[in-house]
Amino acid sequence: MSTSADHDSLRERVQTSLDRQGMMQSLGVRLLAVAPGQVTLALPYSDRVTQQQGGFHGGAMGALADIAGGYAALTVAPEGMEVTTVEYKINFLAAFQNGELQATGQVIKAGRRIIVTTAQVVHVAPDGKRSDCAVMQQTIVPVPKTY
């Protein structure tokens, strides 16, 4: 059974790593929720994340999904280890403007050598309406922390 202190420790572990990511910081990504094997992040709409038609860029959606799945994996990785993406596949379901994207990464299988995750990306409109945006599957490997 996990405790509140366990959840606080996981949240601190993820937030500390997120704070070190220059790209995520420059895009305004926020940590919304952390639980063992699951992380939710948000990316606000801005001119830094759009494509030529004004919608969220697929690269921004992919980066958000990748980081959400990666941080879900980090919550189950051994202490003293980081994680890195080996590969991911993403399906874009719809394009959106305004509001924000929220990605929830979920660990599907955590082994000693690889961790498989998924991420669901939803668009949250300014009026609160939620719509599916993208879905991703990812392979992660634990790596020694180098800092």
Side-chain angles (χ1 to χ4, degrees):
M1 184 164 99
S2 61
T3 66
S4 176
D6 293 337
H7 285 300
D8 290 347
S9 175
L10 283 179
R11 185 176 184 89
E12 181 179 333
R13 185 178 187 188
V14 172
Q15 186 66 59
T16 298
S17 181
L18 180 62
D19 290 345
R20 294 175 51 85
Q21 295 222 12
M23 181 176 163
M24 295 299 114
Q25 294 303 306
S26 70
L27 297 179
V29 170
R30 307 183 316 283
L31 178 60
L32 298 181
V34 177
Q38 185 171 315
V39 168
T40 302
L41 301 168
L43 171 66
Y45 183 82
S46 75
D47 61 359
R48 292 177 288 184
V49 297
T50 60
Q51 37 84 309
Q52 73 280 6
Q53 297 168 332
F56 279 96
H57 193 287
M61 287 185 238
L64 186 66
D66 175 43
I67 206 81
Y71 282 138
L74 184 65
T75 69
V76 300
E79 198 63 42
M81 298 293 277
E82 282 286 325
V83 295
T84 193
T85 302
V86 174
E87 64 84 30
Y88 72 78
K89 181 217 183 295
I90 190 164
N91 291 100
F92 300 108
L93 307 174
F96 295 95
Q97 296 179 352
N98 301 314
E100 71 178 14
L101 298 180
Q102 293 182 3
T104 300
Q106 178 77 43
V107 172
I108 300 301
K109 172 74 172 163
R112 287 182 301 167
R113 294 186 183 177
I114 66 167
I115 302 168
V116 177
T117 70
T118 62
Q120 298 288 125
V121 182
V122 297
H123 175 257
V124 181
D127 66 2
K129 181 181 178 198
R130 299 175 69 86
S131 304
D132 291 335
C133 192
V135 61
M136 179 210 65
Q137 182 172 315
Q138 169 182 57
T139 305
I140 300 281
V141 295
V143 295
K145 193 182 281 189
T146 59
Y147 56 90

